Amino acid sequence: MNDSTPVKINGTIDRFIFHNQENGYAVCIVTVDKQQSITAAGILPATAAGQEVELIGSWIMHKKFGRQFAISQCIQKIPSSLLGLKKYLGSGLIKGIGKSYAEKLVDHFGEKIITIIESHPERLQEVAGIGSKRASVITQSFIENKEVSHIMIFLQGYGISPAYAAKIYKQYRTRTIDVLKENPYRLADEVWGIGFKLADEIAQKLGFKKDTPKRISAGIIYALQVYAQSGHIYCTKNDLILKSAQLLELETEHLEESLNDLINQEKIKHIFFEEKDYYALMAHYHAERSVAQKLLDLLQYPTAIPFDTNRIYAALLAKNTYDIALHEEQQKGIMNVFNHKVTVITGGPGTGKTTLIRKLLSILEAEKITYKLAAPTGRAAKRISEQTGKFATTIHRLLEIDPQTFTFVYNESNTLKLQVLIVDESSMIDIFLANALLKALPLNATIIFLGDIDQLPSVGPGNFLADCLASTAISRVKLTHIFRQAQDSLITLNAHRIITGQAPIKYSKQARNDFIFIHEENPENLFNQVIQCYKTHLKEHNIAQQNSALLTPMNRGVAGNFTLNHSLQAFLNGSENASIAHGNTIFKVADKVMQIRNNYEKMVFNGDCGTIEEIDHEQETLKVGFQDKVVIYDFDELHELILAYSMTIHKSQGSEYDAVIIPIFMQHYMLLARNLIYTAITRAKKLCIIIGQPKAVHCALSQVRVVQRVTFLTHYLNKTL
């Protein structure tokens, strides 16, 4: 039977049985006196073996593990015994000190070691092997842990996990508690990973009332952010008021005043258009207006290159000139480039976009015109570089990051040095990236956006490519002719069938056998089917497993990304490599991982994939090798990484693999649509395998699900708004 009476216990943490670094939950053995040990479980902030603690909690009877002490609060103390100091310092909690240096330091300084670290860090160099750099790391880590511990103790009473406390501390440092008491809703805007709901929980536990203006303003902004997550720039007033009221659990009349205050503070933009009130976050509004204005300015400004279009067109028609023969649609695309400052060229697989680019580049080089090739992601840049044989870079790297300010080096004040810019996979560009890119473009330059309008739209807000195509101001060419060599591929034929709602074909005498459908009704059997694909179909097509990708519609469920990643990790990297647990994931050396947010400090971006090369428990760091660099993460930054043995179809955009395996089941129903499956299939170069239920495929074919994003870029370009 459980006894809920609060109990206070003083002891020393002997060892951890379990410790989740993401949420701070731990099960440990605590020595209460020399003869007695107990099992304790609960949230233990920044604690280590050897640490003396005061635990407040109650005794419970665990169904499986018996009698335990359930911790409700933990107050840390610095160990007083030499053995305790060695355990504490050697636990890995303090960077720069492992078990070996812990022994040496305590043997040399005895009980004074903590005072030495805090007040006389230069003396640490008296111990052999410790130089000024390591001494500095040790001291800084000790001080930070002490501060974090103080903050975590404060936050424990408000239900905040140590993982979130570490993020909050990293943002505000010694100001953390003052910031939280003054306005905890700042967390939602200023700390990545902490949204409005968590900030609201903290605020209410700190005593903030439900109808406080700070809460209402934060709720309205959060409601707009939720709309932006679906790609919208604007939200109607009725929708915004309704969603905000539901979120805040308040009557709608409470919101009008705060909404007007946000407009007056220029945090929200109000637009009245076609008899409706629309609202946008100010940053979104400015980005879209800026994109429209720059495109219009480009169109009005004289070109830097006096093209002889008649000569270029004659050369296009002449056989063997510039090396490549073009279809008339491709010729039109190239001539549009030389007749217009801004051109959009779209087309599906097999319609000759790559051939068009190669031809265009050969003309530019023959005409001695300076150009650059770019794409939204590293994988997309690598792909276009391989296809053209020319150097291509990501848009972020093209614009360069100032490490001091984390802003782009190339901008409206310092434009790129080029005459022509070619941007591939433009369907992936959101409004913010479009704005940054166009700001850095000189007004006399020519820009070409290439992409496949039938693919999924950008993950970020805006509808850049589609809005440009819908505008009468922008020159556009759509490639529709499928070349004979492309018709030899079932991948290409089925991609075009799927986007028009037709069922894929499994066999054709005229086409290569590069498309396979495996009928599987039970999602529980998916993993075994995937393994069988590796062992048979990939081998038959001479494709290495590392050149394949498993692309799934969603993250959750037995056929979702999370489950598949953990299963594939166990199968493909089952070795005893060094590892670190983070949340529900165990990262291991040799794991494939993906960055899931833009990190301008480290110059790695959302969607970048790499391999874990090293895990250093003493320094609490993890090293990842990416395509063009090695990046070091602190353990408290591991929330930026996920396993990448499997990935969502959204995350695969811009990539190309020799083989792709796509599970499609009815449990994916909410996301099943033509353009989702189309995007997945068009990632495959040599082999595409769909595993799943025919009913789910039929469901996807019947769903267009093209969400009409609420954006005004087309109206701004057409000058109708």
Side-chain angles (χ1 to χ4, degrees):
M1 187 172 176
N2 296 341
D3 181 2
S4 59
T5 305
V7 177
K8 186 183 292 185
I9 291 176
N10 289 288
T12 302
I13 296 176
D14 181 59
R15 67 184 185 278
F16 286 94
I17 298 171
F18 172 80
H19 201 171
N20 186 320
Q21 293 196 358
E22 176 70 12
N23 59 26
Y25 180 80
V27 180
C28 61
I29 302 299
V30 179
T31 302
V32 178
D33 55 43
K34 292 181 181 179
Q35 283 78 36
Q36 184 185 4
S37 293
I38 65 166
T39 301
I43 302 297
L44 292 174
T47 49
Q51 193 149 33
E52 294 180 11
V53 291
E54 180 181 284
L55 304 176
I56 299 171
S58 57
W59 290 103
I60 64 168
M61 186 60 69
H62 192 281
K63 290 181 181 179
K64 185 175 180 181
F65 300 109
R67 193 168 185 254
Q68 289 186 352
F69 189 75
I71 303 166
S72 60
Q73 188 176 2
C74 170
I75 299 170
Q76 301 168 22
K77 301 176 181 179
I78 299 298
S80 55
S81 70
L82 295 180
L83 181 61
L85 283 167
K86 287 180 179 180
K87 258 193 172 182
Y88 168 67
L89 293 175
S91 66
L93 188 67
I94 310 300
K95 289 184 181 180
I97 305 178
K99 289 183 180 179
S100 175
Y101 279 115
E103 292 274 349
K104 292 178 182 178
L105 286 165
V106 175
D107 287 344
H108 186 78
F109 294 110
E111 296 174 358
K112 296 179 182 178
I113 180 58
I114 301 301
T115 303
I116 296 295
I117 292 173
E118 286 187 293
S119 306
H120 306 285
E122 71 282 353
R123 288 196 59 195
L124 294 175
Q125 297 179 61
E126 294 174 15
V127 174
I130 296 182
S132 59
K133 186 176 179 181
R134 185 182 286 267
S136 175
V137 168
I138 292 170
T139 303
Q140 186 64 31
S141 179
F142 181 84
I143 292 170
E144 285 185 0
N145 272 285
K146 197 172 181 181
E147 289 177 347
V148 171
S149 175
H150 172 62
I151 291 165
M152 286 180 171
I153 289 169
F154 169 80
L155 293 175
Q156 270 188 118
Y158 301 103
I160 311 306
S161 76
Y164 284 124
K167 288 183 184 181
I168 295 168
Y169 170 76
K170 197 170 185 179
Q171 177 69 27
Y172 303 115
R173 299 290 175 176
T174 55
R175 298 183 298 119
T176 297
I177 294 174
D178 291 337
V179 167
L180 292 179
K181 287 181 176 179
E182 191 273 325
N183 184 9
Y185 293 101
R186 287 177 59 179
L187 301 177
D189 292 328
E190 298 172 355
V191 182
W192 189 81
I194 296 183
F196 169 79
K197 291 183 179 179
L198 181 56
D200 193 35
E201 284 180 24
I202 297 170
Q204 292 191 45
K205 287 175 181 176
L206 285 166
F208 284 76
K209 293 181 179 179
K210 277 195 169 186
D211 60 355
T212 182
K214 288 176 182 176
R215 179 174 186 265
I216 296 173
S217 294
I220 292 171
I221 288 173
Y222 176 69
L224 280 173
Q225 290 170 340
V226 171
Y227 271 92
Q229 288 170 8
S230 298
H232 305 295
I233 299 290
Y234 298 91
C235 174
T236 63
K237 182 177 182 177
N238 288 342
D239 283 345
L240 179 58
I241 292 291
L242 180 62
K243 292 294 183 185
S244 299
Q246 290 174 344
L247 171 73
L248 295 165
E249 298 178 337
L250 293 172
E251 297 299 322
T252 56
E253 58 263 24
H254 286 86
L255 276 63
E256 289 281 354
E257 186 177 346
S258 291
L259 184 56
N260 291 330
D261 286 342
L262 288 168
I263 294 168
N264 293 332
Q265 295 164 19
E266 296 189 344
K267 292 183 178 179
I268 285 178
K269 179 67 177 179
H270 168 239
I271 287 179
F272 186 73
F273 180 63
E274 294 183 344
E275 305 303 316
K276 285 185 181 179
D277 290 294
Y278 290 91
Y279 295 88
L281 294 168
M282 193 60 78
H284 294 65
Y285 164 76
H286 280 310
E288 192 175 60
R289 283 309 305 259
S290 175
V291 165
Q293 191 58 55
K294 184 58 182 278
L295 287 170
L296 292 173
D297 289 346
L298 280 165
L299 292 171
Q300 293 297 317
Y301 204 87
T303 179
I305 317 158
F307 295 119
D308 185 341
T309 52
N310 289 329
R311 180 169 59 80
I312 290 172
Y313 184 63
L316 281 176
L317 296 179
K319 195 173 181 181
N320 296 326
T321 306
Y322 301 128
D323 246 5
I324 308 165
L326 297 185
H327 183 267
E328 61 185 66
E329 286 182 346
Q330 295 168 311
Q331 293 173 17
K332 180 183 176 184
I334 286 185
M335 291 312 300
N336 269 37
V337 169
F338 293 111
N339 283 307
H340 301 276
K341 296 280 296 307
V342 182
T343 300
V344 175
I345 301 173
T346 69
T351 58
K353 289 197 305 295
T354 301
T355 301
L356 185 152
I357 297 173
R358 288 206 301 263
K359 184 81 167 186
L360 175 60
L361 297 182
S362 68
I363 294 173
L364 294 176
E365 289 173 354
E367 299 288 327
K368 295 182 170 50
I369 296 167
T370 58
Y371 69 85
K372 289 189 185 295
L373 265 175
T377 67
R379 288 172 293 166
K382 182 181 178 184
R383 179 186 181 189
I384 192 64
S385 184
E386 289 172 347
Q387 290 172 338
T388 62
K390 307 297 181 183
F391 175 75
T393 185
T394 64
I395 294 173
H396 287 94
R397 289 182 174 86
L398 175 71
L399 301 179
E400 294 184 22
I401 301 292
D402 183 335
Q404 302 300 318
T405 62
F406 302 130
T407 56
F408 289 116
V409 171
Y410 290 100
N411 50 45
E412 59 268 48
S413 302
N414 179 35
T415 56
L416 294 160
K417 309 301 184 283
L418 51 76
Q419 294 169 298
V420 174
L421 177 61
I422 303 162
V423 185
D424 196 24
E425 295 288 356
S426 297
S427 62
M428 299 174 66
I429 299 176
D430 64 28
I431 201 65
F432 292 111
L433 191 57
N435 188 31
L437 179 65
L438 289 167
K439 276 184 177 180
L441 198 66
L443 281 170
N444 60 7
T446 293
I447 187 165
I448 304 102
F449 294 104
L450 296 115
D452 185 345
I453 196 60
D454 291 320
Q455 286 194 36
L456 294 169
S458 62
V459 175
N463 206 19
F464 175 72
L465 188 67
D467 285 349
C468 286
L469 278 168
S471 166
T472 56
I474 305 295
S475 170
R476 54 209 183 275
V477 174
K478 184 169 185 179
L479 305 177
T480 58
H481 175 75
I482 304 174
F483 288 86
R484 185 183 56 77
Q485 58 268 38
Q487 293 176 13
D488 291 341
S489 167
L490 277 181
I491 294 173
T492 301
L493 292 176
N494 282 331
H496 287 277
R497 289 178 65 87
I498 283 169
I499 205 62
T500 56
Q502 300 177 75
I505 55 177
K506 303 173 187 176
Y507 175 75
S508 170
K509 289 182 179 179
Q510 288 75 40
R512 297 189 302 275
N513 182 28
D514 56 5
F515 183 93
I516 298 170
F517 180 82
I518 298 173
H519 184 162
E520 177 55 70
E521 288 293 333
N522 187 358
E524 297 284 348
N525 294 334
L526 171 62
F527 180 67
N528 290 333
Q529 291 280 19
V530 171
I531 299 307
Q532 199 58 37
C533 287
Y534 289 154
K535 292 179 177 178
T536 57
H537 299 302
L538 265 65
K539 281 191 175 181
E540 289 170 2
H541 287 77
N542 296 314
I543 297 172
Q545 182 274 323
Q546 58 265 33
N547 295 330
S548 68
L550 179 58
L551 311 180
T552 182
M554 62 198 306
N555 280 314
R556 302 195 180 278
V558 69
N561 191 46
F562 296 148
T563 299
L564 291 169
N565 257 316
H566 286 90
S567 298
L568 285 169
Q569 181 194 43
F571 177 74
L572 298 170
N573 189 14
S575 62
E576 297 298 318
N577 290 344
S579 64
I580 175 69
H582 185 78
N584 296 322
T585 301
I586 297 176
F587 291 108
K588 301 171 68 174
V589 169
D591 273 341
K592 292 172 66 175
V593 291
M594 177 188 288
Q595 175 80 12
I596 57 170
R597 66 172 293 228
N598 289 339
N599 188 319
Y600 296 101
E601 183 177 0
K602 298 182 186 296
M603 282 294 287
V604 285
F605 304 102
N606 191 355
D608 285 353
C609 290
T611 303
I612 297 176
E613 296 181 352
E614 181 183 311
I615 296 174
D616 187 333
H617 284 275
E618 185 173 311
Q619 297 297 322
E620 296 186 9
T621 58
L622 180 148
K623 185 187 295 183
V624 178
F626 289 96
Q627 179 183 328
D628 58 350
K629 67 193 309 179
V630 172
V631 176
I632 295 176
Y633 295 82
D634 291 334
F635 282 174
D636 64 2
E637 296 175 314
L638 296 184
H639 57 273
E640 296 188 15
L641 296 173
I642 59 172
L643 294 175
Y645 293 100
S646 165
M647 69 183 74
T648 62
I649 295 169
H650 278 86
K651 287 290 188 185
S652 73
Q653 283 182 271
S655 304
E656 195 172 58
Y657 305 92
D658 285 349
V660 297
I661 302 171
I662 311 163
I664 304 178
F665 291 91
M666 287 306 295
Q667 65 176 232
H668 300 137
Y669 173 76
M670 292 301 294
L671 290 175
L672 291 179
R674 294 178 195 174
N675 61 342
L676 183 86
I677 309 305
Y678 172 85
T679 299
I681 288 175
T682 54
R683 302 306 93 209
K685 288 194 293 185
K686 298 179 180 179
L687 179 64
C688 177
I689 304 171
I690 291 180
I691 304 173
Q693 300 160 326
K695 181 181 178 182
V697 175
H698 177 75
C699 176
L701 296 178
S702 65
Q703 299 289 339
V704 179
R705 283 195 205 274
V706 177
V707 176
Q708 295 301 317
R709 296 185 170 190
V710 185
T711 62
F712 290 152
L713 179 58
T714 299
H715 292 292
Y716 294 142
L717 290 170
N718 292 346
K719 300 183 180 179
T720 54
L721 175 61

